[in-house]
Amino acid sequence: MKLETKENLKQKNKFVPRETKELKIKILFMRIVEREILSEEEKEVLRELWNEEYPARLNCKNMQDFELYLNGLSNTKHYLLFDALDKIKGWAFTFLREDENWFAIILNHQIQGKGNGMLLMNELKNNNISLNGWVVDHQNEIKQNATHYKSPMPFYIKNGFTILTEIRIENEKMSGVKINWKR
């Protein structure tokens, strides 16, 4: 009896079972946890996220620098974005500065552009009637990994923020413009 090979079956136009690859669909469920006080472990993860995603000149070189920054804020609320594996992938926080509600938001670059920033932003909007922030409005900043820092301005415009072009910050740490959102 002659054993048919795949090639012989193909030539005879007979059915050849195809090799299939198993498709794995991975859906990451993100959850937001609100905190007023961060654990030491969370602070270290957030400092690393800060340093990886923000322009290099904003880096907090050590935990002491990071703590100094955090301790200088008042009425702070933290919103931690956890993935399905309980890893922090994003962070937003609000604080009071000169009688205004301010915020900052940072996402791991691997989850940007997938609706996660909007998820965090909507949480901030649900808990505030007004938000202010500083935003880099140019493409001249470099991250610590030597890649360009992409201005998030289109994200804020898409999320209903007003750009206050007449109010800028220009110092050794940052060059940017003030943005504002009101309910």
Side-chain angles (χ1 to χ4, degrees):
M1 178 172 154
K2 184 178 175 186
L3 203 56
E4 297 284 349
T5 66
K6 277 187 185 180
E7 286 305 312
N8 290 344
L9 290 172
K10 279 183 192 175
Q11 290 170 358
K12 294 179 184 179
N13 290 326
K14 290 187 177 178
F15 172 74
V16 178
R18 285 192 271 176
E19 295 174 18
T20 60
K21 293 182 179 177
E22 183 181 326
L23 282 179
K24 293 184 179 179
I25 299 174
K26 188 176 183 180
I27 300 173
L28 291 180
F29 293 98
M30 297 289 187
R31 65 184 173 89
I32 298 171
V33 175
E34 184 180 328
R35 298 210 198 300
E36 288 189 19
I37 298 172
L38 299 168
S39 71
E40 292 305 311
E41 182 181 320
E42 288 167 341
K43 286 179 191 176
E44 185 53 42
V45 169
L46 295 175
R47 186 182 74 82
E48 289 172 14
L49 181 65
W50 175 292
N51 288 344
E52 288 170 9
E53 302 304 337
Y54 273 166
R57 64 183 177 152
L58 275 174
N59 279 6
C60 293
K61 307 222 182 311
N62 53 48
M63 189 52 100
Q64 185 179 353
D65 288 350
F66 192 60
E67 292 269 2
L68 193 62
Y69 173 76
L70 291 177
N71 292 336
L73 305 175
S74 64
N75 292 18
T76 310
K77 287 188 183 169
H78 303 276
Y79 301 84
L80 306 177
L81 184 66
F82 288 90
D83 68 9
L85 302 174
D86 260 355
K87 302 285 183 204
I88 297 173
K89 295 294 181 177
W91 172 41
F93 58 100
T94 58
F95 55 96
L96 196 60
R97 175 188 286 155
E98 298 174 3
D99 295 323
E100 292 183 317
N101 291 320
W102 284 71
F103 81 100
I105 187 170
I106 308 168
L107 287 180
N108 179 298
H109 66 275
Q110 295 172 332
I111 67 161
Q112 291 176 9
K114 299 176 181 168
N116 295 301
M118 193 171 293
L119 184 70
L120 271 173
M121 184 55 63
N122 287 338
E123 187 71 20
L124 296 182
K125 287 178 174 181
N126 288 337
N127 290 298
N128 294 277
I129 57 169
S130 176
L131 293 166
N132 295 282
W134 292 120
V135 179
V136 172
D137 60 344
H138 53 82
Q139 304 298 331
N140 303 328
E141 298 291 340
I142 304 293
K143 293 170 36 170
Q144 79 172 2
N145 67 1
T147 62
H148 281 279
Y149 174 78
K150 185 179 172 190
S151 170
M153 190 62 78
F155 170 79
Y156 293 114
I157 293 169
K158 184 172 141 182
N159 278 279
F161 281 79
T162 302
I163 304 162
L164 306 174
T165 53
E166 69 283 0
I167 305 173
R168 297 192 57 81
I169 183 170
E170 299 288 344
N171 61 37
E172 71 283 349
K173 290 281 195 183
M174 185 175 188
S175 169
V177 65
K178 185 177 180 180
I179 59 170
N180 173 263
W181 170 85
K182 285 185 171 83
R183 189 179 308 233

PDB file of all heavy atoms in Angstrom, residues 85-98:
ATOM      1  N   LEU A  85      -2.581  41.246  35.977  1.00  0.00           N
ATOM      2  CA  LEU A  85      -1.566  40.571  36.789  1.00  0.00           C
ATOM      3  C   LEU A  85      -1.199  41.378  38.027  1.00  0.00           C
ATOM      4  O   LEU A  85      -0.206  41.104  38.683  1.00  0.00           O
ATOM      5  CB  LEU A  85      -0.316  40.295  35.945  1.00  0.00           C
ATOM      6  CG  LEU A  85      -0.542  39.441  34.696  1.00  0.00           C
ATOM      7  CD1 LEU A  85       0.725  39.366  33.861  1.00  0.00           C
ATOM      8  CD2 LEU A  85      -1.033  38.063  35.077  1.00  0.00           C
ATOM      9  N   ASP A  86      -1.992  42.380  38.329  1.00  0.00           N
ATOM     10  CA  ASP A  86      -1.784  43.264  39.480  1.00  0.00           C
ATOM     11  C   ASP A  86      -0.490  44.065  39.408  1.00  0.00           C
ATOM     12  O   ASP A  86       0.118  44.387  40.436  1.00  0.00           O
ATOM     13  CB  ASP A  86      -1.859  42.491  40.795  1.00  0.00           C
ATOM     14  CG  ASP A  86      -3.208  42.646  41.472  1.00  0.00           C
ATOM     15  OD1 ASP A  86      -4.029  43.429  40.956  1.00  0.00           O
ATOM     16  OD2 ASP A  86      -3.422  42.018  42.505  1.00  0.00           O
ATOM     17  N   LYS A  87      -0.082  44.408  38.210  1.00  0.00           N
ATOM     18  CA  LYS A  87       1.087  45.268  38.002  1.00  0.00           C
ATOM     19  C   LYS A  87       0.603  46.677  37.700  1.00  0.00           C
ATOM     20  O   LYS A  87      -0.341  46.874  36.934  1.00  0.00           O
ATOM     21  CB  LYS A  87       1.941  44.772  36.824  1.00  0.00           C
ATOM     22  CG  LYS A  87       2.434  43.349  36.973  1.00  0.00           C
ATOM     23  CD  LYS A  87       3.549  43.274  37.952  1.00  0.00           C
ATOM     24  CE  LYS A  87       4.090  41.857  38.036  1.00  0.00           C
ATOM     25  NZ  LYS A  87       4.734  41.581  39.272  1.00  0.00           N
ATOM     26  N   ILE A  88       1.256  47.660  38.290  1.00  0.00           N
ATOM     27  CA  ILE A  88       0.892  49.057  38.029  1.00  0.00           C
ATOM     28  C   ILE A  88       1.374  49.436  36.634  1.00  0.00           C
ATOM     29  O   ILE A  88       2.555  49.344  36.320  1.00  0.00           O
ATOM     30  CB  ILE A  88       1.508  50.001  39.080  1.00  0.00           C
ATOM     31  CG1 ILE A  88       0.951  49.696  40.475  1.00  0.00           C
ATOM     32  CG2 ILE A  88       1.251  51.457  38.704  1.00  0.00           C
ATOM     33  CD1 ILE A  88       1.623  50.464  41.602  1.00  0.00           C
ATOM     34  N   LYS A  89       0.433  49.867  35.796  1.00  0.00           N
ATOM     35  CA  LYS A  89       0.742  50.249  34.418  1.00  0.00           C
ATOM     36  C   LYS A  89       0.480  51.729  34.156  1.00  0.00           C
ATOM     37  O   LYS A  89       0.849  52.247  33.109  1.00  0.00           O
ATOM     38  CB  LYS A  89      -0.077  49.410  33.434  1.00  0.00           C
ATOM     39  CG  LYS A  89       0.251  47.944  33.463  1.00  0.00           C
ATOM     40  CD  LYS A  89       1.661  47.713  32.986  1.00  0.00           C
ATOM     41  CE  LYS A  89       2.024  46.250  32.986  1.00  0.00           C
ATOM     42  NZ  LYS A  89       3.354  46.030  32.451  1.00  0.00           N
ATOM     43  N   GLY A  90      -0.169  52.380  35.112  1.00  0.00           N
ATOM     44  CA  GLY A  90      -0.465  53.789  34.947  1.00  0.00           C
ATOM     45  C   GLY A  90      -0.748  54.430  36.293  1.00  0.00           C
ATOM     46  O   GLY A  90      -1.027  53.739  37.280  1.00  0.00           O
ATOM     47  N   TRP A  91      -0.637  55.734  36.309  1.00  0.00           N
ATOM     48  CA  TRP A  91      -0.828  56.481  37.553  1.00  0.00           C
ATOM     49  C   TRP A  91      -1.309  57.880  37.214  1.00  0.00           C
ATOM     50  O   TRP A  91      -0.763  58.544  36.331  1.00  0.00           O
ATOM     51  CB  TRP A  91       0.497  56.531  38.292  1.00  0.00           C
ATOM     52  CG  TRP A  91       0.594  57.395  39.500  1.00  0.00           C
ATOM     53  CD1 TRP A  91      -0.337  57.563  40.484  1.00  0.00           C
ATOM     54  CD2 TRP A  91       1.716  58.203  39.879  1.00  0.00           C
ATOM     55  NE1 TRP A  91       0.145  58.420  41.455  1.00  0.00           N
ATOM     56  CE2 TRP A  91       1.403  58.823  41.111  1.00  0.00           C
ATOM     57  CE3 TRP A  91       2.953  58.455  39.315  1.00  0.00           C
ATOM     58  CZ2 TRP A  91       2.268  59.679  41.764  1.00  0.00           C
ATOM     59  CZ3 TRP A  91       3.817  59.315  39.962  1.00  0.00           C
ATOM     60  CH2 TRP A  91       3.482  59.909  41.182  1.00  0.00           C
ATOM     61  N   ALA A  92      -2.337  58.293  37.895  1.00  0.00           N
ATOM     62  CA  ALA A  92      -2.775  59.681  37.820  1.00  0.00           C
ATOM     63  C   ALA A  92      -2.909  60.163  39.251  1.00  0.00           C
ATOM     64  O   ALA A  92      -3.143  59.371  40.159  1.00  0.00           O
ATOM     65  CB  ALA A  92      -4.109  59.780  37.084  1.00  0.00           C
ATOM     66  N   PHE A  93      -2.722  61.442  39.447  1.00  0.00           N
ATOM     67  CA  PHE A  93      -2.917  61.985  40.780  1.00  0.00           C
ATOM     68  C   PHE A  93      -3.408  63.418  40.679  1.00  0.00           C
ATOM     69  O   PHE A  93      -3.142  64.111  39.702  1.00  0.00           O
ATOM     70  CB  PHE A  93      -1.659  61.869  41.650  1.00  0.00           C
ATOM     71  CG  PHE A  93      -0.431  62.530  41.104  1.00  0.00           C
ATOM     72  CD1 PHE A  93      -0.028  63.778  41.569  1.00  0.00           C
ATOM     73  CD2 PHE A  93       0.361  61.896  40.149  1.00  0.00           C
ATOM     74  CE1 PHE A  93       1.128  64.380  41.092  1.00  0.00           C
ATOM     75  CE2 PHE A  93       1.509  62.493  39.670  1.00  0.00           C
ATOM     76  CZ  PHE A  93       1.893  63.736  40.130  1.00  0.00           C
ATOM     77  N   THR A  94      -4.189  63.783  41.685  1.00  0.00           N
ATOM     78  CA  THR A  94      -4.694  65.150  41.764  1.00  0.00           C
ATOM     79  C   THR A  94      -4.164  65.774  43.043  1.00  0.00           C
ATOM     80  O   THR A  94      -3.858  65.070  44.010  1.00  0.00           O
ATOM     81  CB  THR A  94      -6.234  65.191  41.759  1.00  0.00           C
ATOM     82  OG1 THR A  94      -6.729  64.434  42.856  1.00  0.00           O
ATOM     83  CG2 THR A  94      -6.799  64.659  40.455  1.00  0.00           C
ATOM     84  N   PHE A  95      -4.061  67.087  43.030  1.00  0.00           N
ATOM     85  CA  PHE A  95      -3.562  67.804  44.201  1.00  0.00           C
ATOM     86  C   PHE A  95      -4.015  69.252  44.114  1.00  0.00           C
ATOM     87  O   PHE A  95      -4.449  69.717  43.056  1.00  0.00           O
ATOM     88  CB  PHE A  95      -2.036  67.702  44.305  1.00  0.00           C
ATOM     89  CG  PHE A  95      -1.298  68.170  43.081  1.00  0.00           C
ATOM     90  CD1 PHE A  95      -0.788  69.463  43.005  1.00  0.00           C
ATOM     91  CD2 PHE A  95      -1.105  67.318  41.996  1.00  0.00           C
ATOM     92  CE1 PHE A  95      -0.098  69.901  41.877  1.00  0.00           C
ATOM     93  CE2 PHE A  95      -0.419  67.752  40.867  1.00  0.00           C
ATOM     94  CZ  PHE A  95       0.076  69.038  40.809  1.00  0.00           C
ATOM     95  N   LEU A  96      -3.919  69.933  45.217  1.00  0.00           N
ATOM     96  CA  LEU A  96      -4.319  71.332  45.298  1.00  0.00           C
ATOM     97  C   LEU A  96      -3.080  72.217  45.186  1.00  0.00           C
ATOM     98  O   LEU A  96      -2.078  71.995  45.872  1.00  0.00           O
ATOM     99  CB  LEU A  96      -5.033  71.574  46.637  1.00  0.00           C
ATOM    100  CG  LEU A  96      -5.846  72.844  46.768  1.00  0.00           C
ATOM    101  CD1 LEU A  96      -6.967  72.901  45.732  1.00  0.00           C
ATOM    102  CD2 LEU A  96      -6.442  72.924  48.169  1.00  0.00           C
ATOM    103  N   ARG A  97      -3.157  73.206  44.295  1.00  0.00           N
ATOM    104  CA  ARG A  97      -2.075  74.179  44.125  1.00  0.00           C
ATOM    105  C   ARG A  97      -2.726  75.543  43.909  1.00  0.00           C
ATOM    106  O   ARG A  97      -3.495  75.713  42.963  1.00  0.00           O
ATOM    107  CB  ARG A  97      -1.202  73.807  42.916  1.00  0.00           C
ATOM    108  CG  ARG A  97      -0.136  74.841  42.605  1.00  0.00           C
ATOM    109  CD  ARG A  97       0.591  74.563  41.302  1.00  0.00           C
ATOM    110  NE  ARG A  97       1.507  73.448  41.454  1.00  0.00           N
ATOM    111  CZ  ARG A  97       1.918  72.670  40.447  1.00  0.00           C
ATOM    112  NH1 ARG A  97       1.474  72.873  39.225  1.00  0.00           N
ATOM    113  NH2 ARG A  97       2.769  71.697  40.660  1.00  0.00           N
ATOM    114  N   GLU A  98      -2.422  76.484  44.803  1.00  0.00           N
ATOM    115  CA  GLU A  98      -2.955  77.844  44.703  1.00  0.00           C
ATOM    116  C   GLU A  98      -4.471  77.845  44.491  1.00  0.00           C
ATOM    117  O   GLU A  98      -4.985  78.495  43.578  1.00  0.00           O
ATOM    118  CB  GLU A  98      -2.235  78.610  43.592  1.00  0.00           C
ATOM    119  CG  GLU A  98      -0.742  78.764  43.868  1.00  0.00           C
ATOM    120  CD  GLU A  98       0.019  79.403  42.713  1.00  0.00           C
ATOM    121  OE1 GLU A  98      -0.601  79.798  41.702  1.00  0.00           O
ATOM    122  OE2 GLU A  98       1.243  79.501  42.821  1.00  0.00           O
TER     123      GLU A  98
END
